[in-house]
Amino acid sequence: MNACDQLIDYFNQHLTEDERIRFEAHLATCQTCQEELEQLEALVGGVAFLSEPAEPPSGMKARILDNVFAEDKTETESKPDEPTPITPFTSTKKKQKTPWGALALAAALMLSLIGNGYLLLNQEEPSGIALTETVPLEGESEGVAYLAEQDGQRQLIVQTNGLDALEANEVYQVWLLKDGSPIPTGAFVTDDKGNGTVIYTLDSTESETDWDTVAVTKEPERGNTAPEGDIVLSASL
Amino acid sequence: MTDIELYERVRNKDKQALETLYDRYERILYAFVMQLTKDRDLAEEAMQEVFIKLWRGGGVYDESKGKFKSWLFTMSRHVTIDLIRKRKPDLQLDESYAEAIPSPAPSVETEVEWQEERTQIETAMAELPVEQQQVVRLMYFQGLSQQKIADACGIPLGTVKGRIRLALKQLRRHLSNDLNDKEVER
């Protein structure tokens, strides 16, 4: 099945986690799908009015607003609903148990990025989250790197599919490079199809650096600060 | 105050603004999520998720994304389908419902606030050939997979997307004149 043929199932949320991530990588580069998704979404606001009238349950407003504002109180200082970087790449040497949590979180972010489909079509006015750059990765398999920006913070998102299976403590490590000098920007492990996702939030110094390359290497263990393994995917920024 | 102004205020944690937005959309949103869930409890849960999302800033709207209303309904639809999949993973197409192809419901609506929009979409839908109306409903309200849409309509899988595309194009054409103008004023 052609990737574009999954648009309806994507829109109606019938894709598996794997399929969805792959479709979103496709969507990022397919103008036709972007336009069709936008059209599907644009009409939701119209067809909604075809709904049969239904009387809201009594007291629903108070229940909902109470819960909404109560939710807010428990949020304390943390910024609401902002995607947090998923990977504890710096110090933990333990093998990450499963990539599914990471995938789900990536999914949440990707939803807010492109699930609504508008963003990719409207990159010229970033406000809130915006993709600033989408770069296909080249090398041993397929992948896409996205640079995104949210409230002044830059994020690097890398999605891959079809990477070789990892052994024992191995991880795939993402790097940003400037003039050949790399910094680690997140590690990930892949599922059985070689799919992996990583989201990395750049700190203020990193955000100001004019990175020229993004690369993925296979490292013997998590937490390397300089690459030991070979580059499996890369792209110029 | 426009929806967008209200939304901006909600972003700045203005409770009153969220309440106003709630009041403005409660009935139509509830009707919409009921249409999707066919379950009052689930519909209320979906409503709550939607407003929590708005309040906490999950999913960011800005004007470059098109109409606020479409964004809100798209987000709500997404949240609702998510909930349905979690709570009722085996929810299947109600065959009789699909076959009955509800023609636009007679407007017994007592509300006046949304009457105009309702009339516009009903009129636009009525202009479509029956098989296109069917595909629009199966897709938007039943949230069926492409395969199930094909089965329900008795058409090959490969034809579904084309039919949807055609239906949307027609709908857009019928809606474009008045609805778009309307949006600007709101």
Side-chain angles (χ1 to χ4, degrees):
Chain A
M1 195 189 236
N2 176 327
C4 298
D5 291 336
Q6 290 188 309
L7 180 69
I8 304 294
D9 288 344
Y10 174 71
F11 180 69
N12 277 340
Q13 295 156 252
H14 285 286
L15 299 183
T16 64
E17 198 78 350
D18 268 7
E19 291 170 333
R20 189 175 53 70
I21 288 172
R22 252 174 294 155
F23 182 79
E24 282 173 354
H26 161 77
L27 183 63
T29 56
C30 178
Q31 182 99 26
T32 310
C33 282
Q34 288 169 21
E35 282 169 8
E36 290 192 11
L37 182 62
E38 189 194 31
Q39 287 165 8
L40 284 173
E41 293 181 343
L43 272 173
V44 178
V47 298
F49 290 90
L50 292 170
S51 308
E52 285 167 39
E55 188 67 24
S58 71
M60 179 171 78
K61 176 180 171 181
R63 285 192 297 277
I64 286 183
L65 291 183
D66 281 356
N67 286 333
V68 169
F69 297 137
E71 184 88 9
D72 194 48
K73 273 181 210 139
T74 60
E75 274 295 301
T76 64
E77 294 301 296
S78 71
K79 280 199 176 175
D81 215 32
E82 250 180 300
T84 35
I86 30 174
T87 38
F89 346 136
T90 42
S91 54
T92 49
K93 299 240 170 172
K94 275 185 208 155
K95 188 166 180 275
Q96 210 178 18
K97 235 167 65 188
T98 157
W100 291 113
L103 285 177
L105 199 51
L109 176 75
M110 290 315 290
L111 267 184
S112 59
L113 280 176
I114 53 181
N116 290 335
Y118 294 114
L119 186 79
L120 293 165
L121 305 165
N122 296 288
Q123 293 175 19
E124 64 284 352
E125 287 176 15
S127 141
I129 300 185
L131 285 188
T132 50
E133 203 170 339
T134 303
V135 193
L137 296 168
E138 289 175 5
E140 292 177 8
S141 74
E142 292 171 14
V144 188
Y146 308 93
L147 282 171
E149 202 163 303
Q150 182 177 25
D151 302 330
Q153 277 199 310
R154 295 182 76 193
Q155 290 179 323
L156 172 69
I157 302 150
V158 170
Q159 290 185 326
T160 65
N161 96 59
L163 280 173
D164 289 345
L166 293 167
E167 289 174 20
N169 294 323
E170 287 183 336
V171 292
Y172 284 110
Q173 173 72 46
V174 182
W175 310 87
L176 279 174
L177 294 89
K178 181 175 165 57
D179 303 329
S181 147
I183 61 157
T185 54
F188 61 93
V189 292
T190 46
D191 66 10
D192 56 359
K193 296 197 177 64
N195 296 324
T197 302
V198 73
I199 302 168
Y200 178 81
T201 303
L202 282 68
D203 68 25
S204 54
T205 322
E206 291 164 1
S207 291
E208 282 163 21
T209 308
D210 188 18
W211 302 104
D212 54 40
T213 307
V214 56
V216 179
T217 61
K218 191 197 276 183
E219 296 295 311
E221 60 185 7
R222 197 172 278 276
N224 279 354
T225 51
E228 289 177 34
D230 292 333
I231 293 179
V232 293
L233 287 168
S234 67
S236 301
L237 295 173
Chain B
M1 203 179 304
T2 66
D3 288 349
I4 292 167
E5 285 162 348
L6 282 172
Y7 174 79
E8 292 300 333
R9 290 185 183 214
V10 169
R11 297 282 288 160
N12 291 317
K13 297 287 170 193
D14 180 337
K15 292 185 178 182
Q16 185 57 50
L18 189 76
E19 188 175 345
T20 309
L21 214 46
Y22 180 94
D23 289 338
R24 192 171 284 182
Y25 281 99
E26 181 190 47
R27 301 190 78 86
I28 183 62
L29 255 188
Y30 184 73
F32 183 48
V33 300
M34 264 303 279
Q35 191 78 36
L36 294 166
T37 59
K38 311 277 184 212
D39 177 318
R40 292 178 78 84
D41 291 339
L42 210 51
E44 180 164 337
E45 197 178 344
M47 289 286 282
Q48 178 165 310
E49 285 292 311
V50 166
F51 283 91
I52 285 178
K53 231 175 162 150
L54 275 174
W55 184 243
R56 294 177 59 183
V60 180
Y61 171 78
D62 73 67
E63 290 184 52
S64 69
K65 294 178 182 178
K67 300 175 192 172
F68 176 80
K69 198 172 65 191
S70 285
W71 175 82
L72 177 65
F73 281 102
T74 297
M75 187 266 270
S76 305
R77 184 175 182 278
H78 198 103
V79 163
T80 307
I81 293 180
D82 246 9
L83 265 183
I84 295 173
R85 300 264 197 275
K86 268 185 227 157
R87 302 273 189 279
K88 296 181 165 180
D90 50 352
L91 190 74
Q92 290 296 324
L93 160 68
D94 175 349
E95 300 284 346
S96 57
Y97 181 82
E99 279 162 20
I101 314 167
S103 53
S107 299
V108 289
E109 178 73 315
T110 52
E111 319 287 325
V112 286
E113 43 183 334
W114 299 115
Q115 190 57 53
E116 203 168 338
E117 268 109 336
R118 184 183 294 277
T119 308
Q120 278 163 342
I121 185 73
E122 281 176 1
T123 311
M125 276 289 271
E127 302 272 343
L128 300 188
V130 172
E131 68 272 12
Q132 287 181 17
Q133 294 184 26
Q134 183 191 26
V135 89
V136 165
R137 286 177 180 275
L138 291 174
M139 190 187 57
Y140 279 111
F141 289 126
Q142 308 256 324
L144 295 189
S145 67
Q146 194 160 317
Q147 182 63 57
K148 288 206 170 142
I149 294 176
D151 296 346
C153 297
I155 56 176
L157 184 64
T159 318
V160 172
K161 213 173 149 196
R163 185 173 289 186
I164 290 173
R165 200 182 295 135
L166 200 62
L168 295 195
K169 195 174 152 194
Q170 304 265 39
L171 268 185
R172 262 203 321 280
R173 212 187 56 216
H174 293 306
L175 286 173
S176 61
N177 302 329
D178 32 23
L179 205 62
N180 284 348
D181 295 346
K182 199 76 202 129
E183 191 70 22
V184 178
E185 292 163 25
R186 253 191 90 83

